[in-house]
Amino acid sequence: MNRSPLENKPLPPEDRVGYALVGLGKLTLNELVPAFRLSNCSKLTALVSDDREKALEIARGLGLEEKDVYDYADYDRLAERPDVNAVYIVLPNALHREYTERAARIGKHVLCEKPLATSPEDAETMVRACAEANRLLMTAYRMQYTPQLWAARDLIEKGDLGRLKFIEAVDGQTEDDPGAWRLKRDLAGGGALPDIGLYCLNTARFLTGEEPYEVFAYQYSTPGDERFKEVEEAVYWTMRFPSGAVAHCTCSYDVAEAKYLRAHGQKGWLSLDPAFSYEGLRLEVVTEEGREVRQMREEDQFRLEIDHFSECILGGKRPFTPGEEGVQDQRLMAAIYQSAAEGKPVRVERLEGKDLFRGAPPRRG
Amino acid sequence: MNRSPLENKPLPPEDRVGYALVGLGKLTLNELVPAFRLSNCSKLTALVSDDREKALEIARGLGLEEKDVYDYADYDRLAERPDVNAVYIVLPNALHREYTERAARIGKHVLCEKPLATSPEDAETMVRACAEANRLLMTAYRMQYTPQLWAARDLIEKGDLGRLKFIEAVDGQTEDDPGAWRLKRDLAGGGALPDIGLYCLNTARFLTGEEPYEVFAYQYSTPGDERFKEVEEAVYWTMRFPSGAVAHCTCSYDVAEAKYLRAHGQKGWLSLDPAFSYEGLRLEVVTEEGREVRQMREEDQFRLEIDHFSECILGGKRPFTPGEEGVQDQRLMAAIYQSAAEGKPVRVERLEGKDLFRGAPPRRG
Amino acid sequence: MNRSPLENKPLPPEDRVGYALVGLGKLTLNELVPAFRLSNCSKLTALVSDDREKALEIARGLGLEEKDVYDYADYDRLAERPDVNAVYIVLPNALHREYTERAARIGKHVLCEKPLATSPEDAETMVRACAEANRLLMTAYRMQYTPQLWAARDLIEKGDLGRLKFIEAVDGQTEDDPGAWRLKRDLAGGGALPDIGLYCLNTARFLTGEEPYEVFAYQYSTPGDERFKEVEEAVYWTMRFPSGAVAHCTCSYDVAEAKYLRAHGQKGWLSLDPAFSYEGLRLEVVTEEGREVRQMREEDQFRLEIDHFSECILGGKRPFTPGEEGVQDQRLMAAIYQSAAEGKPVRVERLEGKDLFRGAPPRRG
Amino acid sequence: MNRSPLENKPLPPEDRVGYALVGLGKLTLNELVPAFRLSNCSKLTALVSDDREKALEIARGLGLEEKDVYDYADYDRLAERPDVNAVYIVLPNALHREYTERAARIGKHVLCEKPLATSPEDAETMVRACAEANRLLMTAYRMQYTPQLWAARDLIEKGDLGRLKFIEAVDGQTEDDPGAWRLKRDLAGGGALPDIGLYCLNTARFLTGEEPYEVFAYQYSTPGDERFKEVEEAVYWTMRFPSGAVAHCTCSYDVAEAKYLRAHGQKGWLSLDPAFSYEGLRLEVVTEEGREVRQMREEDQFRLEIDHFSECILGGKRPFTPGEEGVQDQRLMAAIYQSAAEGKPVRVERLEGKDLFRGAPPRRG
């Protein structure tokens, strides 16, 4: 490569990092495929799915060929493909571990959808597997690559809001398909918490740069609602951070869509509303100087995330949201469930320091 | 009286309920005096204060005379004033009980600022004192008389939001006067909770019509901050209601002003932002049909509250927010403090039913 | 008087300027009577109406007596009332002249609703009549007394928006009562233009401080609409100011309510939306530093206006919006109608200078 | 082709319409190249530019080769390229005619940036040239392909706003590069009007579906401002439509960015704010039922426009915004300039009927 990917110009296709997309659900079709089309240093070179018909159709639209379409049994044959440098795993949560381990074994870097796994132990195993194979593992926390969240973090860091005191975060939507894998415990590992509550958890950690040391949670499922027989409908929790800041978080699978976050400081506050959506993130800042909406060019969040990983691969850097970042969230989610089950606050290890589990910050626009 | 006060026309001055305003602080001067000027069935006939100079000046602007100005020692002499039917107590919280009891003894109805008292026991005593004297006691919960909150409650009641699932409420501001009586335990009885957190608590109860049966709370004061040596800076708490609904509430004396509430249901949600301010309450409703701001004529909140009490006095009705409504909030605040102190959830008596402590609803515009 | 009315404290009733309200329509009942209740240096001492029943009822609510109620035939007997220092004329436009002249003759100051008259000639006559009687005449342009419009004007004056280039102003509403006097030419003198279009005209002049020298207008009435047989439904006009600034203005009696104004400069712009309503004026400013809503305490606009006039009477000052300010608008409205009739631009005298027709600026909050 | 492009699925690259992009300015780089990356039935197969270095670099990022890069002298050699079905002309306005005629001669369809030309005569010539060559010509009016504008048009058409009465449209920005070709008369043909004012004009025509029959305009350039020696800084104009509706339009090259449009009807109104930007179009609707923001998935406007043209080419349909649509705008702009020059209204042919110059409506999402 004779050109730095850092110039924000598209690399020639032959210089880009090649990916196999593993799993062809709605997220892949509606978000990831368009993101790859817009990417600067990434390209799709293979698809993995058991729905060969669908996979072939998508492949055709992308200019790929029959040979680029794999099924899950074939997966390990990606080893033979030098133009597949990494896999992007978009499978039900419970399969993340297996497909990460297999990818590491055949020498591929791994970008894995969130949540990283269905338990802290699985997540740790995945980190180890990639480390031993000397491959990069990144948790696909798209939010941590958005200009809006970085602008929010900068505001807090620079002290524009004064000392941060508390965060309110809500991620609610309606899960109305009783057959969805997200409602099966053995596939999803949990309900609203790992799917959407994780955004509240992860964003609160990102904005503060801190790690919570205590959580208290209520969990709720409407009695008799068939959808929530295996996994929870909603979790309401509170987290305490070493600085004294507190976060109230709420996730629910049975409310009209609502996704917002507010961070309150001594001298001002900021609102992200909507906060966790794929597009249209809106940052508003209220200080003594008034109320201001920060207008930003809309960026494809998934493109930013994928290109960050490609840049790390090309440049040999640790991703900003590596496997370890996902492991920490798994530990905290386990503590949240434990608190809800025991009816009392649960302490986790108290860690001081900033961005303890994160790698190289993403390039700023 | 030959005219119903229900027609929303000003009564002739001689037919109105006469009040003595007890305490001439900022709230009295900036809000209550103008509210009385606008009222339809209430009038100011006396002022009680130890700052005679100030009291006389205000009296002059109102067209009152020297004889209409009392000091606290004189208070019981209001007995001799047939044109003083009620007192409006605007004193530090710890004095509410004494001045209510004395008023009841001399045969006056009592409109008492919130919080009703500094303990459930005191509040209960006040209720008893007024009952025994056959006088009305009303807690001055102005929010419960606003068209915006009633519109919000109607939406929930009619099911426009579907089943209500959770409420997020924040009331934060900066208390920067270290000498304020609100920061003295013996005068205020507590810090941010009884002063501003009470709005979150009380409004959540009003909107649901329900009584919480369990609370969990964190309490926080910045180490070393002189302002919060006696009372707390902030309380973060969660409440569970019999219907399954949950409320996250936050109050803080050390953040940039932020007052909002959101109530989330299966089919929609509503936002009050600002939620607890004296004016400019803004109700926004989000349902499948879109996002809509409900425009309403601005009404003076204190006038609505005062005239409600006057109508109850004229018509012999129990106020919508009687003493009992204040007592219940005192019990819940005691439970919140207990939870914060013990580090675990605290249960209170589980009560089923709607508006258990409320009287006749206020007249609607 | 031993106390300056400038301290924003209520004067004792006996020191205030006494007014007779002339005309008891909706504006009087809903806006002016409450405004007098809130005023600091004004008081209502008499009512003038031919509906004695209604007048007496209002009087009773105000604590006035039978003797304080006059009919139009009686009007000149106000001469005998030393406690009536001024009249506030709230009659159909065509009567403004007569009641102003009669008031001047009996030695009363005159606050006259807008538009000042139904022709430039009548308006000039009114100015002369008051001047000769050595009485003050003020056009009741409430907008020019609002903190929001002053904040907007300050922004422009200080150059925060850079050089002002153009203004867009719309005042539209539905006039659906075919019997309204506003739709009768002989009472109103015109249709949407003098009633609501005048706000666009007058506010553009206020914000720039300039006088337009050319206008071009289209006038429109829906064919066959009975409401607009005598007066126009809508006027669309453009004005050019000496500085080069241009204003597009629109008024209509047949659209859903819409009242806004935007002023655009080289470096930023401001929006008033709503712009001309009795309450809830909202000022938003967009500059390089962002988009900001200026939050202001809601003030009763009519109180500000009335108290300004009272202060002028007490202090012997020329009002900020004297009769001459109203005369100039009459001249411009005449030019607008002429342009619409002739189908070409109409020039008026080109005047250079700032605030050429205005008096002492109102006291700022 | 065995698959309809109407299913909104990407066609295999070999089935797509191939384009040569002619002109590599900022619009091409920032908007058009990404749009092609996202397109479903279009692909870039050649670039035309005199800056060979830059063109090669872009080509590399796109996976194109040296042979795919042409200079303007080479342009006619595109005739030899069967994989170039159409050209997209993104050159200074004055060159549109020549490059359209040459394209038609070599058998290519033409998508031409707006304004179509620098005079009605040139525009008509272009239409004829393409018709004679039996090639399609489309004016690149991206706004007419956005979901937001179609939603606005639907609202008006269905009568949700009642009868439409007037439109206010503003398109202002700062043109601060004195060397820009947009400020040269011989390249641009005009100043703010054909560049940005055209959006106001064209959108007003699109929303009403009507053709104006009379215009009145003021034109303005700040005296002494070097930027506006050849072309105008701003135009303020008014248009009358056969239905009685009126539009006030404003365009300016010397104000802080402001792009909005409001359409007012008897029963409601709609706001597009921002209105003409490349992204973030925001449609708000105000009716008796409240105020509602219509949330829509952000779509790449240029992709919609380009794919519409490709679908027309593939399906043999007349584009929604063919050359004739551009011709009509040229005629109206000529009338606007004439009005400003003569200082009086100018009439154009009065045309009745809907969408008189438009072809097949674009596919709706």
Side-chain angles (χ1 to χ4, degrees), chain B residues 289-295, chain D residues 289-295:
Chain B
E289 276 142 50
R291 193 168 192 125
E292 183 196 329
V293 174
R294 298 283 168 103
Q295 315 269 13
Chain D
E289 276 142 49
R291 193 169 191 122
E292 182 196 331
V293 174
R294 298 283 168 102
Q295 316 270 12

Short mmCIF file of all heavy atoms in Angstrom, two decimals, chain B residues 289-295, chain D residues 289-295:
data_model
loop_
_atom_site.label_atom_id
_atom_site.label_comp_id
_atom_site.label_asym_id
_atom_site.label_seq_id
_atom_site.Cartn_x
_atom_site.Cartn_y
_atom_site.Cartn_z
N GLU B 289 -49.60 8.53 15.29
CA GLU B 289 -50.09 9.58 14.40
C GLU B 289 -49.11 10.73 14.26
O GLU B 289 -49.39 11.70 13.56
CB GLU B 289 -51.43 10.10 14.88
CG GLU B 289 -52.58 9.25 14.39
CD GLU B 289 -53.65 9.11 15.44
OE1 GLU B 289 -54.07 10.14 15.98
OE2 GLU B 289 -54.04 7.96 15.73
N GLY B 290 -48.00 10.66 14.97
CA GLY B 290 -47.01 11.70 14.81
C GLY B 290 -46.63 12.33 16.13
O GLY B 290 -46.91 11.79 17.19
N ARG B 291 -45.96 13.44 16.02
CA ARG B 291 -45.40 14.15 17.16
C ARG B 291 -46.10 15.49 17.22
O ARG B 291 -46.14 16.21 16.24
CB ARG B 291 -43.92 14.36 16.86
CG ARG B 291 -43.10 14.80 18.03
CD ARG B 291 -41.62 14.70 17.71
NE ARG B 291 -40.85 14.87 18.92
CZ ARG B 291 -39.96 14.00 19.38
NH1 ARG B 291 -39.68 12.93 18.69
NH2 ARG B 291 -39.32 14.22 20.51
N GLU B 292 -46.66 15.79 18.35
CA GLU B 292 -47.51 16.96 18.39
C GLU B 292 -47.31 17.74 19.68
O GLU B 292 -47.36 17.18 20.76
CB GLU B 292 -48.96 16.48 18.30
CG GLU B 292 -49.96 17.57 18.26
CD GLU B 292 -51.33 17.02 18.57
OE1 GLU B 292 -51.58 15.84 18.23
OE2 GLU B 292 -52.13 17.75 19.16
N VAL B 293 -47.12 19.01 19.55
CA VAL B 293 -47.08 19.88 20.71
C VAL B 293 -48.49 20.37 20.99
O VAL B 293 -49.15 20.88 20.09
CB VAL B 293 -46.13 21.07 20.47
CG1 VAL B 293 -46.20 22.04 21.64
CG2 VAL B 293 -44.71 20.58 20.27
N ARG B 294 -48.94 20.18 22.20
CA ARG B 294 -50.26 20.67 22.55
C ARG B 294 -50.16 22.12 22.99
O ARG B 294 -49.59 22.43 24.02
CB ARG B 294 -50.85 19.84 23.71
CG ARG B 294 -51.04 18.39 23.38
CD ARG B 294 -52.27 18.19 22.50
NE ARG B 294 -52.27 16.83 21.97
CZ ARG B 294 -53.05 15.86 22.45
NH1 ARG B 294 -53.88 16.11 23.43
NH2 ARG B 294 -52.99 14.64 21.92
N GLN B 295 -50.71 22.97 22.19
CA GLN B 295 -50.65 24.40 22.50
C GLN B 295 -51.76 24.75 23.48
O GLN B 295 -52.91 24.44 23.23
CB GLN B 295 -50.82 25.23 21.22
CG GLN B 295 -50.02 24.72 20.04
CD GLN B 295 -48.65 25.35 19.95
OE1 GLN B 295 -48.19 25.99 20.88
NE2 GLN B 295 -47.98 25.16 18.83
N GLU D 289 -55.40 19.42 13.94
CA GLU D 289 -55.06 18.29 14.80
C GLU D 289 -53.73 18.46 15.51
O GLU D 289 -53.31 17.59 16.26
CB GLU D 289 -55.04 17.00 13.99
CG GLU D 289 -56.44 16.42 13.85
CD GLU D 289 -56.65 15.83 12.49
OE1 GLU D 289 -55.78 15.05 12.07
OE2 GLU D 289 -57.65 16.17 11.84
N GLY D 290 -53.05 19.56 15.26
CA GLY D 290 -51.81 19.80 15.99
C GLY D 290 -50.65 20.05 15.05
O GLY D 290 -50.82 20.27 13.86
N ARG D 291 -49.50 19.98 15.61
CA ARG D 291 -48.26 20.30 14.92
C ARG D 291 -47.45 19.02 14.88
O ARG D 291 -47.21 18.40 15.90
CB ARG D 291 -47.52 21.34 15.75
CG ARG D 291 -46.39 22.03 15.08
CD ARG D 291 -45.92 23.21 15.89
NE ARG D 291 -45.00 24.00 15.10
CZ ARG D 291 -45.15 25.28 14.81
NH1 ARG D 291 -46.16 25.93 15.30
NH2 ARG D 291 -44.28 25.91 14.04
N GLU D 292 -47.05 18.63 13.71
CA GLU D 292 -46.45 17.30 13.61
C GLU D 292 -45.26 17.31 12.67
O GLU D 292 -45.33 17.81 11.55
CB GLU D 292 -47.51 16.34 13.06
CG GLU D 292 -47.06 14.94 12.95
CD GLU D 292 -48.01 14.17 12.06
OE1 GLU D 292 -49.20 14.53 12.02
OE2 GLU D 292 -47.55 13.23 11.40
N VAL D 293 -44.18 16.76 13.12
CA VAL D 293 -43.02 16.59 12.25
C VAL D 293 -43.13 15.22 11.58
O VAL D 293 -43.33 14.22 12.25
CB VAL D 293 -41.70 16.68 13.05
CG1 VAL D 293 -40.53 16.36 12.16
CG2 VAL D 293 -41.56 18.06 13.65
N ARG D 294 -43.05 15.20 10.28
CA ARG D 294 -43.09 13.93 9.58
C ARG D 294 -41.70 13.33 9.51
O ARG D 294 -40.82 13.87 8.84
CB ARG D 294 -43.61 14.14 8.14
CG ARG D 294 -45.01 14.68 8.08
CD ARG D 294 -46.04 13.60 8.39
NE ARG D 294 -47.35 14.18 8.61
CZ ARG D 294 -48.33 14.20 7.72
NH1 ARG D 294 -48.16 13.63 6.55
NH2 ARG D 294 -49.49 14.75 8.01
N GLN D 295 -41.53 12.27 10.21
CA GLN D 295 -40.23 11.63 10.24
C GLN D 295 -40.09 10.71 9.04
O GLN D 295 -40.94 9.88 8.80
CB GLN D 295 -40.08 10.79 11.52
CG GLN D 295 -40.56 11.47 12.78
CD GLN D 295 -39.47 12.26 13.47
OE1 GLN D 295 -38.40 12.49 12.89
NE2 GLN D 295 -39.71 12.70 14.68
#
